[in-house]
Amino acid sequence: MGFKEVFSRIPHFLKLKRRVVNAALEEKPDCIVFIDSNGFSGRVARSLKNEYKNLHEPSPPMFQYVAPSIWAWKRPRHRSRRFASLFDSMLLLYPFEEPHWKELGAENTIYVGSPLLDHSELLNIRKDSVTREKIRTRIRRKYGVGQTEKLVALLPGSRTQEVSRHLGLFFEVLRQTSVSRALLPYASPVRSMIENYCARDKSVDVTLVPGGGANMVEAVTACDAAMAVSGTVVLETAALGTPLLSVYSTGGLRALMGRYLAKVRYASIPNILANKEIIPEFLGPACEPDKLSNALRSLLDEPDMRLSQTAQLSRVIDNLLQSHPPEYSPSMKASAHIISFLERRGLQIESSSSMGEAKTLNDPPAPDEGRTM
């Protein structure tokens, strides 16, 4: 989300924050679990603590699932400490995060694992080359794509601002690369935006694949290469073994600030885990169609480059999987941690199914609302 868009939506966020705070005070939950959206979550948690203090009541335990990326961005240490202090526990996605929080003195963190490890269908495809080939054949036949025809997956993001910045760029890259076919899986939040754009621009033969989840997994599996907006989908595509480029276009001011504030050399999780650029990254000013088209052409036409990338990514994913105890999925570990915490506070939990009693306190923000890098 750019600076202009953030400022224009401040009234909306303030209204939404008040709505969530009021709902929490009315519902009186036994605990509150915030998921991602660190900027929004922190403001809600701070307001709630103040409200309960004014009522002379203890606030319910609060958990933050997905912590701020302090390992990636320069951020005042006191701000990070203050954020951590708002929550009874923070649940982390990657093993390299915890030392950064410990170094700040935040002892209330636990590594639960990436949501990728919960994605059983994706992991099953990754392990079974026969299943992968069957999916490739079936999906290509379904969409009328030849088995040897070059096919590219377009993954322009799940937020409106991401799609508006990247979809036209991806189309131009395909035109320059002379790729005849592409699949574009998309989720409901950006459905109308993507469908309207594709209805206007017929210069590229793009087949829309509605729905995320299994549809996205199978579409990417059927493709020879992918262009993906930097984010979770890059890790998922890497796990599927499809060669890819990681892209993130930003405005000039944000790109300049990003170069100044970034603590890491890479933007993509697989590259960060490997500490080297396995996936070519095109960020900010580097998002030029000619550069991207040359890189995509190499991925499609040079077998050695394809094999090198997929082999290195396979090792990265293996290491990530091995960093997590096999007996617990990330969601199970997160639930068990929260239940154990509540039981230590004297709240009796009959079984893990009790977590199904949880209520959402508000309609969640749209994917481009409240997310922070």
Side-chain angles (χ1 to χ4, degrees), residues 5-158:
E5 293 87 354
V6 169
F7 286 120
S8 68
R9 297 185 69 81
I10 285 177
H12 168 75
F13 286 127
L14 291 174
K15 186 183 296 184
L16 184 60
K17 185 189 79 167
R18 189 69 254 169
R19 177 183 171 191
V20 175
V21 169
N22 289 342
L25 293 172
E26 181 180 340
E27 293 284 349
K28 300 187 182 303
D30 294 312
C31 73
I32 301 175
V33 181
F34 297 88
I35 301 177
D36 209 344
S37 303
N38 305 135
F40 184 76
S41 297
R43 288 171 175 81
V44 171
R46 188 176 298 112
S47 294
L48 277 171
K49 284 185 176 293
N50 290 335
E51 292 282 357
Y52 278 106
K53 183 178 180 180
N54 293 335
L55 292 170
H56 304 288
E57 295 180 8
S59 63
M62 299 186 193
F63 304 88
Q64 175 66 29
Y65 200 153
V66 187
S69 302
I70 63 169
W71 45 270
W73 300 99
K74 296 174 185 176
R75 175 187 173 106
R77 294 168 66 88
H78 71 276
R79 283 187 58 202
S80 298
R81 289 195 192 98
R82 189 168 62 219
F83 182 89
S85 70
L86 293 171
F87 303 96
D88 294 273
S89 186
M90 294 194 300
L91 288 68
L92 310 179
L93 303 188
Y94 301 107
F96 58 77
E97 293 184 87
E98 204 159 22
H100 292 275
W101 287 103
K102 300 292 187 189
E103 193 267 335
L104 287 175
E107 299 294 332
N108 60 334
T109 62
I110 178 172
Y111 165 56
V112 296
S114 167
L116 174 71
L117 307 178
D118 270 326
H119 207 320
S120 58
E121 181 176 11
L122 184 152
L123 295 177
N124 288 338
I125 292 173
R126 177 178 180 271
K127 292 184 293 186
D128 190 342
S129 59
V130 174
T131 299
R132 179 181 174 84
E133 193 57 37
K134 286 180 179 179
I135 291 173
R136 176 184 171 91
T137 300
R138 174 169 55 81
I139 295 301
R140 284 174 170 256
R141 185 179 296 124
K142 177 180 178 179
Y143 294 116
V145 181
Q147 295 303 312
T148 60
E149 190 175 356
K150 301 295 185 186
L151 184 63
V152 174
L154 304 182
L155 304 164
S158 59

Side-chain angles (χ1 to χ4, degrees), residues 181-235:
R181 294 294 302 275
L183 298 183
L184 201 169
Y186 62 95
S188 56
V190 290
R191 175 176 180 172
S192 60
M193 188 176 193
I194 286 178
E195 290 178 346
N196 291 338
Y197 184 92
C198 293
R200 294 194 308 270
D201 190 339
K202 299 290 188 179
S203 62
V204 180
D205 191 352
V206 174
T207 300
L208 299 181
V209 182
N215 288 351
M216 187 281 287
V217 167
E218 292 192 342
V220 172
T221 300
C223 290
D224 300 295
M227 288 189 290
V229 165
S230 183
T232 305
V233 73
V234 170
L235 186 63

Side-chain angles (χ1 to χ4, degrees), residues 318-330:
D318 283 342
N319 290 337
L320 180 61
L321 294 174
Q322 291 167 8
S323 72
H324 191 274
E327 64 271 18
Y328 283 114
S329 70

